[in-house]
PDB file of all heavy atoms in Angstrom:
ATOM      1  N   ALA A 268       5.002  10.806  29.424  1.00 94.00           N
ATOM      2  CA  ALA A 268       4.116  11.940  29.476  1.00 94.00           C
ATOM      3  C   ALA A 268       3.103  11.872  30.686  1.00 94.00           C
ATOM      4  O   ALA A 268       2.961  12.856  31.337  1.00 94.00           O
ATOM      5  CB  ALA A 268       3.353  12.100  28.156  1.00 94.00           C
ATOM      6  N   THR A 269       2.702  10.581  30.843  1.00 92.00           N
ATOM      7  CA  THR A 269       1.789  10.476  32.106  1.00 92.00           C
ATOM      8  C   THR A 269       2.543  10.833  33.383  1.00 92.00           C
ATOM      9  O   THR A 269       2.006  11.400  34.243  1.00 92.00           O
ATOM     10  CB  THR A 269       1.295   9.030  32.107  1.00 92.00           C
ATOM     11  OG1 THR A 269       0.669   8.734  30.885  1.00 92.00           O
ATOM     12  CG2 THR A 269       0.319   8.766  33.277  1.00 92.00           C
ATOM     13  N   ARG A 270       3.664  10.309  33.533  1.00 93.00           N
ATOM     14  CA  ARG A 270       4.452  10.611  34.722  1.00 93.00           C
ATOM     15  C   ARG A 270       4.757  12.088  34.905  1.00 93.00           C
ATOM     16  O   ARG A 270       4.627  12.684  35.993  1.00 93.00           O
ATOM     17  CB  ARG A 270       5.924   9.959  34.733  1.00 93.00           C
ATOM     18  CG  ARG A 270       5.737   8.331  34.937  1.00 93.00           C
ATOM     19  CD  ARG A 270       7.116   7.784  35.370  1.00 93.00           C
ATOM     20  NE  ARG A 270       8.032   7.959  34.249  1.00 93.00           N
ATOM     21  CZ  ARG A 270       8.249   7.263  33.242  1.00 93.00           C
ATOM     22  NH1 ARG A 270       7.580   6.114  32.949  1.00 93.00           N
ATOM     23  NH2 ARG A 270       9.136   7.572  32.297  1.00 93.00           N
ATOM     24  N   LEU A 271       5.177  12.734  33.809  1.00 95.00           N
ATOM     25  CA  LEU A 271       5.459  14.200  33.828  1.00 95.00           C
ATOM     26  C   LEU A 271       4.116  15.037  34.197  1.00 95.00           C
ATOM     27  O   LEU A 271       4.260  15.965  34.972  1.00 95.00           O
ATOM     28  CB  LEU A 271       5.936  14.726  32.494  1.00 95.00           C
ATOM     29  CG  LEU A 271       7.389  14.121  32.140  1.00 95.00           C
ATOM     30  CD1 LEU A 271       7.696  14.473  30.718  1.00 95.00           C
ATOM     31  CD2 LEU A 271       8.399  14.783  33.076  1.00 95.00           C
ATOM     32  N   GLN A 272       3.002  14.596  33.731  1.00 94.00           N
ATOM     33  CA  GLN A 272       1.795  15.186  33.965  1.00 94.00           C
ATOM     34  C   GLN A 272       1.385  15.104  35.458  1.00 94.00           C
ATOM     35  O   GLN A 272       1.037  15.956  36.146  1.00 94.00           O
ATOM     36  CB  GLN A 272       0.648  14.667  33.077  1.00 94.00           C
ATOM     37  CG  GLN A 272      -0.711  15.262  33.446  1.00 94.00           C
ATOM     38  CD  GLN A 272      -0.812  16.733  33.072  1.00 94.00           C
ATOM     39  OE1 GLN A 272       0.069  17.331  32.447  1.00 94.00           O
ATOM     40  NE2 GLN A 272      -1.883  17.438  33.503  1.00 94.00           N
ATOM     41  N   LYS A 273       1.594  13.849  35.981  1.00 92.00           N
ATOM     42  CA  LYS A 273       1.270  13.570  37.371  1.00 92.00           C
ATOM     43  C   LYS A 273       2.187  14.297  38.364  1.00 92.00           C
ATOM     44  O   LYS A 273       1.754  14.652  39.398  1.00 92.00           O
ATOM     45  CB  LYS A 273       1.366  11.979  37.591  1.00 92.00           C
ATOM     46  CG  LYS A 273       0.118  11.308  37.051  1.00 92.00           C
ATOM     47  CD  LYS A 273       0.345   9.829  37.299  1.00 92.00           C
ATOM     48  CE  LYS A 273      -0.925   9.010  36.886  1.00 92.00           C
ATOM     49  NZ  LYS A 273      -0.675   7.497  37.119  1.00 92.00           N
ATOM     50  N   ASP A 274       3.371  14.479  37.797  1.00 94.00           N
ATOM     51  CA  ASP A 274       4.409  15.243  38.668  1.00 94.00           C
ATOM     52  C   ASP A 274       4.239  16.696  38.512  1.00 94.00           C
ATOM     53  O   ASP A 274       5.015  17.510  39.129  1.00 94.00           O
ATOM     54  CB  ASP A 274       5.815  14.839  38.301  1.00 94.00           C
ATOM     55  CG  ASP A 274       6.168  13.360  38.654  1.00 94.00           C
ATOM     56  OD1 ASP A 274       5.383  12.862  39.404  1.00 94.00           O
ATOM     57  OD2 ASP A 274       7.158  12.880  38.163  1.00 94.00           O
ATOM     58  N   LYS A 275       3.302  17.150  37.744  1.00 95.00           N
ATOM     59  CA  LYS A 275       3.151  18.666  37.477  1.00 95.00           C
ATOM     60  C   LYS A 275       4.313  19.298  36.962  1.00 95.00           C
ATOM     61  O   LYS A 275       4.543  20.464  37.326  1.00 95.00           O
ATOM     62  CB  LYS A 275       2.522  19.267  38.769  1.00 95.00           C
ATOM     63  CG  LYS A 275       1.296  18.639  39.269  1.00 95.00           C
ATOM     64  CD  LYS A 275       0.757  19.405  40.500  1.00 95.00           C
ATOM     65  CE  LYS A 275      -0.619  18.797  40.842  1.00 95.00           C
ATOM     66  NZ  LYS A 275      -1.208  19.501  42.144  1.00 95.00           N
ATOM     67  N   THR A 276       5.023  18.605  35.990  1.00 96.00           N
ATOM     68  CA  THR A 276       6.149  19.232  35.440  1.00 96.00           C
ATOM     69  C   THR A 276       5.743  20.287  34.413  1.00 96.00           C
ATOM     70  O   THR A 276       4.861  19.974  33.609  1.00 96.00           O
ATOM     71  CB  THR A 276       7.013  18.053  34.706  1.00 96.00           C
ATOM     72  OG1 THR A 276       7.475  17.093  35.644  1.00 96.00           O
ATOM     73  CG2 THR A 276       8.251  18.696  34.021  1.00 96.00           C
ATOM     74  N   PRO A 277       6.281  21.497  34.555  1.00 96.00           N
ATOM     75  CA  PRO A 277       5.850  22.501  33.600  1.00 96.00           C
ATOM     76  C   PRO A 277       6.222  22.129  32.132  1.00 96.00           C
ATOM     77  O   PRO A 277       7.438  21.701  31.844  1.00 96.00           O
ATOM     78  CB  PRO A 277       6.752  23.717  33.961  1.00 96.00           C
ATOM     79  CG  PRO A 277       6.961  23.530  35.435  1.00 96.00           C
ATOM     80  CD  PRO A 277       7.174  21.987  35.464  1.00 96.00           C
TER      81      PRO A 277
END
Side-chain angles (χ1 to χ4, degrees):
T269 302
R270 287 195 302 271
L271 292 170
Q272 177 66 11
K273 287 181 177 179
D274 292 342
K275 298 183 178 179
T276 303

